[in-house]
Amino acid sequence: EPEVTQTPSHQVTQMGQEVILRCVPISNHLYFYWYRQILGQKVEFLVSFYNNEISEKSEIFDDQFSVERPDGSNFTLKIRSTKLEDSAMYFCASSDQVASAFFGQGTRLTVV
Amino acid sequence: GEDVEQSLFLSVREGDSSVINCTYTDSSSTYLYWYKQEPGAGLQLLTYIFSNMDMKQDQRLTVLLNKKDKHLSLRIADTQTGDSAIYFCAESINTDKLIFGTGTRLQVFP
């Protein structure tokens, strides 16, 4: 069964460093998303991406965040200068239509 | 504003039915979803219902939607220990972004 894969599963980084979280969406999907879940809190929407551009973003997704689809298969989330409060589980998702997004297993980001 | 609420815990005996409840505030929801998260794993889409439906059944899962009360429920028949997980309710409102509830931790005991 096709699935969304994310790497790495766990990333530890120092405050102020840049991180890139990687995702390989399901191959025929056209819509891509990033969500995050801070420990003990709700899963929060960050950004959606369609047709090579951001279609919607939340207030969380400020200038420190960016997304890219560099080669037609990967979908990346970059955090330019990490803060302690960026520590969370980051989930990538993809869908072939507006409903039914499929999620990856997540990348746990720990900022120290 | 958009808000989705769930109770935090549910404990059931193996073989019984589980009913997980969810309430939402925005009446213009387009789709409503149930996701399952097992320990250390991602979010698995279980089922979803279009907002003009009031019921959907898929094997052991039954979703009921009461639009008037803005209430969604997930019933799991013959609950098994493998059903132990966190269950998230989510809605989408005219866009493709999902708004998630807090999650309900279902514990199944023998």
Side-chain angles (χ1 to χ4, degrees):
Chain A
E1 187 177 314
E3 59 180 16
V4 176
T5 55
Q6 291 184 242
T7 53
S9 55
H10 192 187
Q11 171 96 41
V12 181
T13 189
Q14 286 203 316
M15 193 168 55
Q17 295 295 304
E18 174 184 284
V19 293
I20 297 175
L21 309 183
R22 301 180 192 279
C23 171
V24 179
I26 294 172
S27 63
N28 62 338
H29 284 186
L30 302 175
Y31 301 83
F32 313 110
Y33 315 87
W34 283 100
Y35 288 79
R36 78 171 186 192
Q37 185 181 28
I38 294 172
L39 189 64
Q41 297 187 23
K42 291 185 180 185
V43 177
E44 301 171 290
F45 169 78
L46 291 178
V47 66
S48 58
F49 191 87
Y50 171 72
N51 203 25
N52 285 319
E53 60 183 26
I54 290 174
S55 48
E56 190 172 355
K57 60 182 181 179
S58 71
E59 290 173 357
I60 302 166
F61 195 89
D62 61 22
D63 292 344
Q64 293 298 311
F65 291 87
S66 62
V67 289
E68 202 176 30
R69 191 155 155 78
D71 56 12
S73 63
N74 290 285
F75 180 51
T76 61
L77 174 70
K78 183 193 290 187
I79 309 174
R80 225 176 307 280
S81 176
T82 48
K83 303 190 272 288
L84 294 176
E85 53 266 36
D86 293 327
S87 294
M89 183 75 92
Y90 287 81
F91 291 106
C92 173
S94 71
S95 66
D96 61 351
Q97 54 185 331
V98 172
S100 66
F102 290 85
F103 282 73
Q105 80 281 15
T107 293
R108 182 171 297 285
L109 176 66
T110 303
V111 182
V112 296
Chain B
E2 308 147 343
D3 198 18
V4 180
E5 295 294 334
Q6 302 175 239
S7 53
L8 292 180
F9 299 102
L10 177 65
S11 185
V12 298
R13 189 180 298 278
E14 192 175 15
D16 287 351
S17 291
S18 308
V19 180
I20 303 170
N21 294 300
C22 170
T23 57
Y24 57 96
T25 54
D26 199 314
S27 56
S28 54
S29 296
T30 315
Y31 291 93
L32 293 126
Y33 306 80
W34 285 104
Y35 280 85
K36 177 184 180 183
Q37 184 181 36
E38 294 181 81
L43 296 162
Q44 176 195 354
L45 176 63
L46 287 178
T47 187
Y48 64 94
I49 188 168
F50 190 48
S51 58
N52 69 354
M53 296 169 64
D54 51 22
M55 186 180 112
K56 182 177 180 182
Q57 186 154 5
D58 184 2
Q59 300 181 326
R60 291 190 298 124
L61 305 180
T62 304
V63 179
L64 294 177
L65 174 60
N66 181 329
K67 281 203 78 172
K68 178 175 160 291
D69 295 340
K70 301 194 196 78
H71 182 265
L72 181 76
S73 68
L74 174 70
R75 179 175 179 271
I76 305 172
D78 186 25
T79 315
Q80 304 297 307
T81 53
D83 294 324
S84 294
I86 301 176
Y87 290 80
F88 291 93
C89 167
E91 64 172 347
S92 60
I93 305 167
N94 298 324
T95 73
D96 50 357
K97 82 174 187 191
L98 297 175
I99 299 152
F100 282 86
T102 47
T104 298
R105 183 178 294 276
L106 173 65
Q107 183 175 12
V108 183
F109 58 93

mmCIF file of all heavy atoms in Angstrom, chain A residues 36-60:
data_model
loop_
_atom_site.group_PDB
_atom_site.id
_atom_site.type_symbol
_atom_site.label_atom_id
_atom_site.label_comp_id
_atom_site.label_asym_id
_atom_site.label_seq_id
_atom_site.Cartn_x
_atom_site.Cartn_y
_atom_site.Cartn_z
ATOM 1 N N ARG A 36 1.958 20.188 12.636
ATOM 2 C CA ARG A 36 2.838 19.884 13.760
ATOM 3 C C ARG A 36 1.996 19.612 15.005
ATOM 4 O O ARG A 36 0.851 20.081 15.118
ATOM 5 C CB ARG A 36 3.830 21.008 14.031
ATOM 6 C CG ARG A 36 3.256 22.188 14.759
ATOM 7 C CD ARG A 36 4.305 23.162 15.197
ATOM 8 N NE ARG A 36 3.704 24.211 16.018
ATOM 9 C CZ ARG A 36 4.313 25.317 16.363
ATOM 10 N NH1 ARG A 36 5.566 25.542 15.976
ATOM 11 N NH2 ARG A 36 3.712 26.211 17.104
ATOM 12 N N GLN A 37 2.608 18.868 15.932
ATOM 13 C CA GLN A 37 1.955 18.554 17.198
ATOM 14 C C GLN A 37 2.970 18.760 18.312
ATOM 15 O O GLN A 37 3.888 17.945 18.481
ATOM 16 C CB GLN A 37 1.419 17.122 17.194
ATOM 17 C CG GLN A 37 0.620 16.762 18.431
ATOM 18 C CD GLN A 37 0.137 15.320 18.401
ATOM 19 O OE1 GLN A 37 0.746 14.452 17.784
ATOM 20 N NE2 GLN A 37 -0.982 15.046 19.065
ATOM 21 N N ILE A 38 2.810 19.834 19.053
ATOM 22 C CA ILE A 38 3.622 20.044 20.251
ATOM 23 C C ILE A 38 3.132 19.048 21.296
ATOM 24 O O ILE A 38 1.927 18.777 21.390
ATOM 25 C CB ILE A 38 3.499 21.498 20.735
ATOM 26 C CG1 ILE A 38 4.111 22.441 19.692
ATOM 27 C CG2 ILE A 38 4.174 21.680 22.083
ATOM 28 C CD1 ILE A 38 3.877 23.910 19.964
ATOM 29 N N LEU A 39 4.072 18.519 22.069
ATOM 30 C CA LEU A 39 3.750 17.473 23.038
ATOM 31 C C LEU A 39 2.571 17.876 23.927
ATOM 32 O O LEU A 39 2.585 18.943 24.538
ATOM 33 C CB LEU A 39 4.983 17.183 23.899
ATOM 34 C CG LEU A 39 4.894 15.975 24.823
ATOM 35 C CD1 LEU A 39 4.756 14.692 24.002
ATOM 36 C CD2 LEU A 39 6.115 15.892 25.733
ATOM 37 N N GLY A 40 1.544 17.026 23.935
ATOM 38 C CA GLY A 40 0.383 17.262 24.784
ATOM 39 C C GLY A 40 -0.638 18.231 24.203
ATOM 40 O O GLY A 40 -1.643 18.522 24.851
ATOM 41 N N GLN A 41 -0.379 18.709 22.991
ATOM 42 C CA GLN A 41 -1.306 19.673 22.391
ATOM 43 C C GLN A 41 -1.932 19.096 21.114
ATOM 44 O O GLN A 41 -1.640 17.992 20.705
ATOM 45 C CB GLN A 41 -0.576 20.982 22.093
ATOM 46 C CG GLN A 41 -0.060 21.663 23.355
ATOM 47 C CD GLN A 41 0.522 23.035 23.072
ATOM 48 O OE1 GLN A 41 0.204 23.678 22.067
ATOM 49 N NE2 GLN A 41 1.396 23.484 23.954
ATOM 50 N N LYS A 42 -2.801 19.890 20.498
ATOM 51 C CA LYS A 42 -3.494 19.453 19.286
ATOM 52 C C LYS A 42 -2.556 19.410 18.092
ATOM 53 O O LYS A 42 -1.530 20.101 18.056
ATOM 54 C CB LYS A 42 -4.628 20.427 18.948
ATOM 55 C CG LYS A 42 -5.792 20.414 19.910
ATOM 56 C CD LYS A 42 -6.905 21.328 19.397
ATOM 57 C CE LYS A 42 -8.089 21.330 20.327
ATOM 58 N NZ LYS A 42 -9.217 22.101 19.807
ATOM 59 N N VAL A 43 -2.932 18.648 17.097
ATOM 60 C CA VAL A 43 -2.266 18.687 15.802
ATOM 61 C C VAL A 43 -2.688 19.990 15.114
ATOM 62 O O VAL A 43 -3.892 20.275 14.982
ATOM 63 C CB VAL A 43 -2.674 17.478 14.943
ATOM 64 C CG1 VAL A 43 -2.032 17.558 13.573
ATOM 65 C CG2 VAL A 43 -2.298 16.169 15.643
ATOM 66 N N GLU A 44 -1.687 20.774 14.683
ATOM 67 C CA GLU A 44 -1.980 22.102 14.113
ATOM 68 C C GLU A 44 -1.544 22.172 12.659
ATOM 69 O O GLU A 44 -0.439 21.738 12.304
ATOM 70 C CB GLU A 44 -1.190 23.180 14.875
ATOM 71 C CG GLU A 44 -1.468 23.254 16.351
ATOM 72 C CD GLU A 44 -0.484 24.195 17.028
ATOM 73 O OE1 GLU A 44 0.712 23.848 17.133
ATOM 74 O OE2 GLU A 44 -0.911 25.283 17.458
ATOM 75 N N PHE A 45 -2.370 22.779 11.840
ATOM 76 C CA PHE A 45 -2.059 22.989 10.431
ATOM 77 C C PHE A 45 -0.966 24.043 10.301
ATOM 78 O O PHE A 45 -0.989 25.082 10.962
ATOM 79 C CB PHE A 45 -3.330 23.453 9.714
ATOM 80 C CG PHE A 45 -3.117 23.956 8.322
ATOM 81 C CD1 PHE A 45 -2.936 23.080 7.270
ATOM 82 C CD2 PHE A 45 -3.101 25.313 8.061
ATOM 83 C CE1 PHE A 45 -2.751 23.544 5.978
ATOM 84 C CE2 PHE A 45 -2.923 25.795 6.780
ATOM 85 C CZ PHE A 45 -2.750 24.917 5.739
ATOM 86 N N LEU A 46 0.005 23.780 9.434
ATOM 87 C CA LEU A 46 1.036 24.772 9.131
ATOM 88 C C LEU A 46 0.828 25.363 7.736
ATOM 89 O O LEU A 46 0.724 26.567 7.568
ATOM 90 C CB LEU A 46 2.430 24.140 9.194
ATOM 91 C CG LEU A 46 2.935 23.712 10.561
ATOM 92 C CD1 LEU A 46 4.308 23.062 10.441
ATOM 93 C CD2 LEU A 46 3.006 24.884 11.520
ATOM 94 N N VAL A 47 0.788 24.477 6.725
ATOM 95 C CA VAL A 47 0.810 24.968 5.356
ATOM 96 C C VAL A 47 0.263 23.908 4.413
ATOM 97 O O VAL A 47 0.386 22.709 4.657
ATOM 98 C CB VAL A 47 2.257 25.361 4.969
ATOM 99 C CG1 VAL A 47 3.163 24.133 4.928
ATOM 100 C CG2 VAL A 47 2.325 26.136 3.667
ATOM 101 N N SER A 48 -0.372 24.365 3.331
ATOM 102 C CA SER A 48 -0.760 23.465 2.247
ATOM 103 C C SER A 48 -0.116 23.950 0.957
ATOM 104 O O SER A 48 0.138 25.158 0.787
ATOM 105 C CB SER A 48 -2.273 23.364 2.116
ATOM 106 O OG SER A 48 -2.841 24.635 1.890
ATOM 107 N N PHE A 49 0.126 23.023 0.048
ATOM 108 C CA PHE A 49 0.920 23.311 -1.150
ATOM 109 C C PHE A 49 0.284 22.586 -2.312
ATOM 110 O O PHE A 49 0.009 21.383 -2.232
ATOM 111 C CB PHE A 49 2.340 22.784 -0.889
ATOM 112 C CG PHE A 49 3.389 23.196 -1.873
ATOM 113 C CD1 PHE A 49 4.065 24.387 -1.714
ATOM 114 C CD2 PHE A 49 3.752 22.364 -2.925
ATOM 115 C CE1 PHE A 49 5.079 24.759 -2.591
ATOM 116 C CE2 PHE A 49 4.750 22.731 -3.814
ATOM 117 C CZ PHE A 49 5.423 23.929 -3.637
ATOM 118 N N TYR A 50 0.028 23.317 -3.380
ATOM 119 C CA TYR A 50 -0.595 22.730 -4.561
ATOM 120 C C TYR A 50 -0.089 23.457 -5.791
ATOM 121 O O TYR A 50 0.059 24.686 -5.778
ATOM 122 C CB TYR A 50 -2.128 22.841 -4.458
ATOM 123 C CG TYR A 50 -2.871 22.462 -5.711
ATOM 124 C CD1 TYR A 50 -2.942 21.127 -6.103
ATOM 125 C CD2 TYR A 50 -3.483 23.418 -6.515
ATOM 126 C CE1 TYR A 50 -3.601 20.764 -7.264
ATOM 127 C CE2 TYR A 50 -4.140 23.063 -7.679
ATOM 128 C CZ TYR A 50 -4.204 21.732 -8.045
ATOM 129 O OH TYR A 50 -4.861 21.362 -9.193
ATOM 130 N N ASN A 51 0.191 22.710 -6.833
ATOM 131 C CA ASN A 51 0.599 23.309 -8.112
ATOM 132 C C ASN A 51 1.834 24.195 -7.926
ATOM 133 O O ASN A 51 1.911 25.296 -8.470
ATOM 134 C CB ASN A 51 -0.581 24.112 -8.684
ATOM 135 C CG ASN A 51 -0.472 24.293 -10.185
ATOM 136 O OD1 ASN A 51 0.159 23.502 -10.868
ATOM 137 N ND2 ASN A 51 -1.076 25.358 -10.686
ATOM 138 N N ASN A 52 2.752 23.675 -7.116
ATOM 139 C CA ASN A 52 4.050 24.335 -6.891
ATOM 140 C C ASN A 52 3.975 25.672 -6.181
ATOM 141 O O ASN A 52 4.889 26.492 -6.317
ATOM 142 C CB ASN A 52 4.813 24.507 -8.213
ATOM 143 C CG ASN A 52 5.401 23.198 -8.678
ATOM 144 O OD1 ASN A 52 5.913 22.429 -7.875
ATOM 145 N ND2 ASN A 52 5.318 22.941 -9.963
ATOM 146 N N GLU A 53 2.894 25.874 -5.438
ATOM 147 C CA GLU A 53 2.874 27.079 -4.623
ATOM 148 C C GLU A 53 2.047 26.852 -3.361
ATOM 149 O O GLU A 53 1.218 25.930 -3.315
ATOM 150 C CB GLU A 53 2.353 28.275 -5.409
ATOM 151 C CG GLU A 53 0.952 28.129 -5.948
ATOM 152 C CD GLU A 53 0.543 29.331 -6.783
ATOM 153 O OE1 GLU A 53 1.416 30.023 -7.352
ATOM 154 O OE2 GLU A 53 -0.659 29.583 -6.857
ATOM 155 N N ILE A 54 2.283 27.704 -2.371
ATOM 156 C CA ILE A 54 1.533 27.620 -1.124
ATOM 157 C C ILE A 54 0.095 28.031 -1.398
ATOM 158 O O ILE A 54 -0.163 29.092 -1.985
ATOM 159 C CB ILE A 54 2.168 28.525 -0.051
ATOM 160 C CG1 ILE A 54 3.523 27.945 0.392
ATOM 161 C CG2 ILE A 54 1.234 28.684 1.142
ATOM 162 C CD1 ILE A 54 4.296 28.843 1.341
ATOM 163 N N SER A 55 -0.865 27.179 -1.007
ATOM 164 C CA SER A 55 -2.272 27.522 -1.193
ATOM 165 C C SER A 55 -2.877 28.121 0.074
ATOM 166 O O SER A 55 -3.801 28.934 -0.002
ATOM 167 C CB SER A 55 -3.076 26.308 -1.663
ATOM 168 O OG SER A 55 -2.805 25.182 -0.883
ATOM 169 N N GLU A 56 -2.362 27.721 1.217
ATOM 170 C CA GLU A 56 -2.842 28.286 2.474
ATOM 171 C C GLU A 56 -1.762 28.102 3.534
ATOM 172 O O GLU A 56 -1.021 27.114 3.504
ATOM 173 C CB GLU A 56 -4.138 27.597 2.920
ATOM 174 C CG GLU A 56 -4.832 28.263 4.079
ATOM 175 C CD GLU A 56 -6.201 27.666 4.377
ATOM 176 O OE1 GLU A 56 -6.669 26.781 3.624
ATOM 177 O OE2 GLU A 56 -6.799 28.096 5.374
ATOM 178 N N LYS A 57 -1.666 29.047 4.462
ATOM 179 C CA LYS A 57 -0.735 28.874 5.580
ATOM 180 C C LYS A 57 -1.356 29.435 6.837
ATOM 181 O O LYS A 57 -2.214 30.319 6.791
ATOM 182 C CB LYS A 57 0.612 29.530 5.289
ATOM 183 C CG LYS A 57 0.535 31.017 5.032
ATOM 184 C CD LYS A 57 1.914 31.558 4.711
ATOM 185 C CE LYS A 57 1.859 33.064 4.473
ATOM 186 N NZ LYS A 57 3.198 33.633 4.182
ATOM 187 N N SER A 58 -0.901 28.927 7.987
ATOM 188 C CA SER A 58 -1.435 29.378 9.259
ATOM 189 C C SER A 58 -0.551 30.502 9.807
ATOM 190 O O SER A 58 0.525 30.800 9.271
ATOM 191 C CB SER A 58 -1.492 28.212 10.248
ATOM 192 O OG SER A 58 -0.192 27.851 10.644
ATOM 193 N N GLU A 59 -1.005 31.065 10.930
ATOM 194 C CA GLU A 59 -0.231 32.124 11.594
ATOM 195 C C GLU A 59 1.114 31.593 12.102
ATOM 196 O O GLU A 59 2.061 32.339 12.265
ATOM 197 C CB GLU A 59 -1.025 32.680 12.780
ATOM 198 C CG GLU A 59 -2.232 33.490 12.362
ATOM 199 C CD GLU A 59 -3.083 33.889 13.556
ATOM 200 O OE1 GLU A 59 -2.769 33.494 14.696
ATOM 201 O OE2 GLU A 59 -4.073 34.608 13.339
ATOM 202 N N ILE A 60 1.164 30.291 12.377
ATOM 203 C CA ILE A 60 2.409 29.693 12.877
ATOM 204 C C ILE A 60 3.480 29.777 11.792
ATOM 205 O O ILE A 60 4.662 29.948 12.066
ATOM 206 C CB ILE A 60 2.186 28.216 13.246
ATOM 207 C CG1 ILE A 60 1.079 28.078 14.290
ATOM 208 C CG2 ILE A 60 3.470 27.583 13.744
ATOM 209 C CD1 ILE A 60 0.580 26.657 14.432
#
